Amino acid sequence: MEEICSLCEGSGLRIVEEGGRQVARACECRVARRAARMLEQAQIPRRYEECTLENFEPKYDGADRSLQSALVQARGFVKGYPVETDGKGLLLVGPVGVGKTHIAVGILKELVQERGAHGLFYDYRELLKEVQNSYNQKVAATELEVLRPVFEAEVLVLDELGAAKPSDWVWDTVAHILNSRYNDRRTTIITTNFQNFEEITKTELRNLTDIQKAAREETLGDRIGERMRSRLQEMCVAVEMYGEDYRQLKKRASFAIGPKGASATPALRSAAEALRSAAEALQSAAEEDIPSISKAIQDAAPEGFIAQRPRIDECVAAPEPEQEKPLVGRARMGRWASPCPKRLNEND
Ligand SMILES: [Zn+2]
């Protein structure tokens, strides 16, 4: 049994004095019930239920400053909603585990609870399934009526855009949803693990070596097409987030081998690790100076390989230059993608 509110004794209304007159106003319990109901309708998954902007932790060991600035942007967004934001949403971009969904849910909850916005949370893969299921074989068309809440939600959080690659017709429907929302000035908040770079062109792809192709990470443009990616830049403000995986990112940057966010795959990284321990083993064998072994090594190793004591992580170890503000957008992404000069020279 729910406890009866002591303020209104369950009526949901309170009589208050306003300008010398007694008027009936909604009691806090009623407002709270309504907020709870709307929050339920937003369908935030249980694992994110507790996420708020309040309990987002932007400062921990190894945290990047971009997390703090993402939080500031999120708060500003809530504050400016809906007049200043004017239908524009946010595109939260960053690797797994930096709290993109946490921020998105935090915003959604505040807009629902404090602004009375009708909100809806959707995992991208769930949306694709929903679209798939909306297909009616009898009429050979998608029944958009089923998807009405996604079209009409005042604020939609679309989590993990690009996480799956749908078939053409499913994608066309998703594009239609996003475009309609944009045209209707409805707010869409998107998270994605893919870097906010353009789609690689066929010519560029042809010019990559097989190793470069294997090492290249897909971009958001690759995943959703350049047309939609550039549409998203119009309908959302991009917010870059980096975090606990940041060190890993720096490491990857040192193996990056080309434009557009190319960086090392796990396979390449472990190959590099193996190479390093091999180099170390060779080095210590050479230092022991057993003539037959030394000779064999010298004959087999590329010139200068032993003497220089190559350390692959030299590329990584360079300290990050001091900077006032975290680099964002292309400036920052560009650094991920820039090849290590040492490796370039080695390949000459
Ligand atoms: Zn009450």
Side-chain angles (χ1 to χ4, degrees), residues 4-14 26-30 33:
I4 289 173
C5 173
S6 60
L7 295 173
C8 65
E9 286 164 349
S11 70
L13 288 175
R14 290 181 70 190
C27 177
E28 281 118 78
C29 69
R30 191 176 190 174
R33 269 202 306 276

Side-chain angles (χ1 to χ4, degrees), residues 286-298:
E287 277 166 4
E288 280 180 28
D289 207 22
I290 303 164
S292 60
I293 295 178
S294 296
K295 171 125 192 1
I297 293 168
Q298 296 293 351

